Amino acid sequence: MEESTPSQIGMPEARHKSAQEDAAEDPLSLLDPMADPEIVFGLVGPVGVELKPVIDAIEQELAGKYRTKTIKLSELIEDFFGVDYSGGAEHLRIRKLMHLGTHLRQESGLGEAVALLGIEEIARVRDDELGGNDAGNAYIIRSLKTPDEVQLFRNVYGKGFYLISVYSHRENRVSYLSERLANSLHGDTSKCRARAERLVEIDELENREFGQDVQDAFPLADLFLNSDDRENLRAQIKRFVELVFGYRFATPTQEEHGMQHARSAALRSSDMNRQVGAAIANAEGDLLAIGCNDVPKAGGGFYWPDSVPDERDFRKGVDSMSEHRSQVIREFLARLESAELLAIKSSIAEVADSLLTGDLRWVLKGATATSILEFGRSVHAEMAAITTAARLGIPLVGATMYVTTFPCHICARHIVASGIRNVFYVEPYPKSRAKKLHGDAILVDPITPSEKMTNFQPFKGIAPSRYFELFEAGDSRKDAEGKIPAWKIVTGSPRFQRFIVTYTHLETNIVGKLLPAIRKKGISLPLEKLDQLEREFA
C-alpha cells in the first residue's frame, strides 16, 4: 500500500501530542477535550460499486486537517491466509476472497472476525507509520460486509466511528463489474456479465451461516450516498465532513427531514419483530401523516401505553405470525414424512424449531415459506400512515412517503391505490414481492424516476441515527456581536469529544486476545473448495 507523508496530504510536520503525554504534564488536562481525536470511517459498498471516488473525496476534504490511511480488509484476508490473488482473473479474486472471509468467520465462530483484522491493522498503522500519535488520524475501512463487523467497530470506537453506505443501481453495478472482469481477462467478455450477476447476488446475501450480508449491513449507515450521481457525490461528502467537524449552517434536506419523521414514528412501535416507521409529506415537505407497525385498537389508531385495555402482542407474550409460520413448516414436514418423501430422524417439532430459530435457521433465510405476512395482527407502518390520512380527510395524490424499511407487497398495493408518487426507504426487505406483483404500477430503484408510476427509491443523506447530533446548532451560530464567525474545516472540531483514549485498551484486549486464539486454531486454506469455485466460474 502506497504511503503518504504528512506534507503530501497537507498535514503540518509538527507531531501531535498524545492525550497520555498531556496528562503526564498536567493532570487537569484530562478535563479538556482532545484536539483532533481519531476518526474511523467504515465503508459499505456492494460489489460493483466504485469506492475509490468516495475515498478520494474524504481524503481531499480532510487534507490539511487529518492524516488519512485506507485499510483494505480484502488485503488483510489475503495476508491472514498467506495468498495473493492480485494480477489474476478478477472474478476469481473476488469470489475467492468472499469465500475466505466467510471461511474465516465460520471456522473462528466469530461474525466479526474480519473486522478484528481491521482493528489490528489500525493499531499497527498508528504505531508503525504514525509514530504512535493518537490524534489527527483518520482511518478509512474498505469495506465492511456484515452487521457484526459494523457493530464491532461501533463498540470499539464509539461516536468516533462513522459508517458510509454507497449505493449504485444494480444494473450499473453489474455493468461496471462486467467491465472489470473483462479487463482482467484482456478483453474477453464471454461469460463476464453472468459472472458479475452471480457475484452481485452472493455479495448481497450469501445464504450460509456467517456468510456475507451486505444487505443487512448497508442500512446501518450514518450517511447514504448514491455513487451514480457523480456530480453530486463530492458535494455530499464535503457536506458530511463539514457537519462532522461542527459546521452549523448545513440544514436537513426534505429527504432527511422526512426520514427523521419516519424513524421517530417507528419508536412508537411495540411490534415483536421490528420497529418500522412511515411518514407522508407533500411537495413542500409538510408532514401529512405518520404511522408505525403495531396492533390497531377499536375506534381507530393504535394503543398507547396507558390504554385500558392494552391488547398489543407483547402483552399477550406471543407473535401470532411466528406461531403460524411454525405451524406451516411443521405441517409441511409432517405431510412429506407421511407420504414417505422425507425421512426425519428426530421429531418434526425439533426439526421445525431448528429451521426457524435454531442452528439451521440460515437454511430458510429468505425462503417464501418464512415470508408469510397475512397472519400477523399488526398494521404495517405504511398502511397506518395511509389510514391515518384517510381518517383525517387528507388526500395523498402526488405525495411522498418516507419509510424505514422497503414496503412489503401488501403495503405496495395500498401505496399505489392512494396515489402516492414517490417512496424513499432505508432498509431493503427481500421478502417483498412488490416489484414482481405490481411491475405495472411501480418502479423500484429507477435510474430515471417516472412521472406516471410510483417510484420506490433508496434514501440518500444523513441517517436518522445521526440527525440530531449533526444538525443541532446549539448556541454557537453567532458571536458576541451577532455576526457569523468565520469557519473552516481546518479550525473546526469533531462534534464528538474524547477526554482520554480508552479505545486503545479495547484494541489491545479484544484484538490481543481474540486474534491469537483464532490464529492458534490453525485455520487453513480450504483448497478443495477454492478449486471447486474455479470450476464453477470457469
Side-chain angles (χ1 to χ4, degrees):
M1 184 183 301
E2 184 179 348
E3 303 301 336
S4 299
T5 65
S7 59
Q8 285 176 319
I9 56 175
M11 281 296 301
E13 296 288 351
R15 178 181 181 273
H16 286 274
K17 280 187 178 181
S18 69
Q20 287 84 349
E21 290 172 326
D22 285 337
E25 295 175 7
D26 177 13
L28 287 178
S29 68
L30 292 175
L31 299 178
D32 298 325
M34 292 176 58
D36 301 330
E38 288 188 316
I39 300 177
V40 179
F41 294 98
L43 303 184
V44 173
V47 67
V49 170
E50 290 188 79
L51 293 178
K52 190 176 186 304
V54 177
I55 295 172
D56 290 344
I58 294 173
E59 291 177 341
Q60 290 168 16
E61 291 304 320
L62 291 177
K65 178 69 173 176
Y66 269 56
R67 304 176 186 87
T68 54
K69 294 288 182 180
T70 298
I71 293 172
K72 297 181 179 179
L73 296 183
S74 59
E75 292 181 353
L76 300 181
I77 292 173
E78 288 182 316
D79 290 343
F80 182 91
F81 287 102
V83 295
D84 182 0
Y85 294 134
S86 62
E90 183 70 357
H91 64 284
L92 290 177
R93 184 190 73 84
I94 295 173
R95 184 63 187 98
K96 287 180 178 180
L97 286 173
M98 284 181 176
H99 183 77
L100 288 182
T102 299
H103 182 67
L104 177 57
R105 290 187 288 267
Q106 287 178 328
E107 293 299 307
S108 66
L110 295 173
E112 61 272 29
V114 177
L116 289 171
L117 299 177
I119 293 173
E120 180 186 50
E121 181 67 3
I122 287 176
R124 186 201 67 77
V125 168
R126 184 190 303 116
D127 290 341
D128 296 349
E129 300 177 20
L130 301 175
N133 292 329
D134 53 24
N137 306 322
Y139 307 96
I140 303 172
I141 310 299
R142 175 180 178 165
S143 60
L144 302 170
K145 296 295 185 180
T146 72
D148 287 339
E149 293 171 358
V150 173
Q151 191 57 52
L152 181 63
F153 275 100
R154 283 220 166 103
N155 289 343
V156 172
Y157 299 105
K159 288 192 173 182
F161 174 74
Y162 293 92
L163 186 68
I164 301 175
S165 287
V166 188
Y167 166 82
S168 175
H169 191 277
R170 195 178 195 278
E171 181 68 21
N172 292 340
R173 282 187 281 134
V174 172
S175 296
Y176 171 70
L177 187 56
S178 297
E179 291 180 11
R180 279 175 54 190
L181 302 188
N183 289 337
S184 73
L185 296 172
H186 310 294
D188 180 6
T189 59
S190 62
K191 300 183 181 179
C192 283
R193 190 162 192 88
R195 289 166 175 164
E197 290 274 8
R198 179 60 179 148
L199 289 172
V200 167
E201 179 184 340
I202 296 171
D203 183 70
E204 289 174 344
L205 180 61
E206 189 176 12
N207 193 23
R208 299 173 60 195
E209 188 176 18
F210 292 115
Q212 288 201 173
D213 192 2
V214 173
Q215 188 170 264
D216 289 329
F218 191 94
L220 303 177
D222 302 303
L223 172 68
F224 296 91
L225 295 173
N226 184 349
S227 66
D228 294 333
D229 187 3
R230 289 298 180 86
E231 293 183 2
N232 199 37
L233 183 66
R234 174 68 187 275
Q236 288 300 307
I237 294 173
K238 176 180 175 63
R239 174 177 180 259
F240 178 65
V241 172
E242 287 178 344
L243 280 167
V244 169
F245 279 88
Y247 183 58
R248 306 291 178 177
F249 286 95
T251 56
T253 64
Q254 281 195 25
E255 279 186 48
E256 291 166 339
H257 195 54
M259 194 58 73
Q260 172 55 34
H261 283 305
R263 183 70 188 97
S264 295
L267 300 182
R268 184 185 169 186
S269 169
S270 69
D271 190 88
M272 296 171 67
N273 293 293
R274 67 172 77 193
Q275 291 178 307
V276 180
I280 305 175
N282 63 17
E284 294 300 317
D286 301 317
L287 188 64
L288 301 178
I290 60 173
C292 70
N293 57 324
D294 217 329
V295 176
K297 68 178 178 67
F302 293 153
Y303 294 99
W304 289 102
D306 56 357
S307 295
V308 179
D310 183 351
E311 296 293 333
R312 290 176 289 177
D313 280 344
F314 82 95
R315 296 291 187 189
K316 297 177 177 294
V318 63
D319 174 22
S320 60
M321 193 159 61
S322 294
E323 274 191 324
H324 191 83
R325 186 180 296 125
S326 178
Q327 180 183 339
V328 168
I329 296 299
R330 292 183 188 201
E331 180 181 340
F332 183 70
L333 292 174
R335 294 199 176 203
L336 289 177
E337 185 183 46
S338 65
E340 299 183 353
L341 295 174
L342 184 68
I344 298 178
K345 296 181 180 179
S346 53
S347 71
I348 289 176
E350 289 175 339
V351 174
D353 289 344
S354 181
L355 288 169
L356 291 171
T357 60
D359 295 340
L360 296 178
R361 61 186 180 277
W362 60 272
V363 173
L364 294 182
K365 188 172 184 178
T368 303
T370 61
S371 305
I372 299 172
L373 303 173
E374 289 78 5
F375 298 97
R377 297 179 66 230
S378 287
V379 174
H380 291 192
E382 301 92 322
M383 288 189 279
I386 290 171
T387 55
T388 294
R391 283 190 290 112
L392 299 177
I394 301 173
L396 299 181
V397 175
T400 296
M401 174 178 282
Y402 303 91
V403 61
T404 57
T405 300
F406 188 96
C408 72
H409 43 277
I410 299 174
C411 289
R413 68 182 69 149
H414 290 80
I415 290 170
V416 170
S418 71
I420 289 173
R421 176 56 52 79
N422 293 296
V423 177
F424 291 95
Y425 66 92
V426 171
E427 187 173 349
Y429 188 56
K431 295 179 182 179
S432 179
R433 301 291 187 270
K435 183 177 181 179
K436 182 177 181 180
L437 295 175
H438 299 286
D440 60 317
I442 68 174
L443 289 178
V444 177
D445 302 353
I447 295 177
T448 302
S450 170
E451 292 294 328
K452 296 181 178 180
M453 302 171 73
T454 303
N455 304 286
F456 285 51
Q457 303 172 78
F459 167 78
K460 59 181 182 295
I462 305 297
S465 59
R466 295 277 191 169
Y467 185 89
F468 291 104
E469 174 190 337
L470 294 181
F471 290 118
E472 180 71 52
D475 57 358
S476 56
R477 277 186 165 174
K478 61 182 181 179
D479 59 22
E481 298 178 354
K483 298 179 179 179
I484 297 174
W487 187 92
K488 293 182 179 180
I489 191 171
V490 293
T491 57
S493 298
R495 288 179 183 255
F496 69 93
Q497 293 183 337
R498 291 201 190 280
F499 295 89
I500 190 168
V501 183
T502 55
Y503 56 83
T504 55
H505 298 289
L506 292 173
E507 289 174 347
T508 300
N509 285 281
I510 294 175
V511 177
K513 291 180 180 178
L514 289 178
L515 275 180
I518 291 174
R519 290 189 170 104
K520 190 176 290 187
K521 288 176 177 285
I523 302 174
S524 58
L525 275 172
L527 295 176
E528 184 177 340
K529 180 61 178 179
L530 294 176
D531 289 340
Q532 180 185 337
L533 292 177
E534 289 205 24
R535 292 192 296 272
E536 289 176 2
F537 274 78

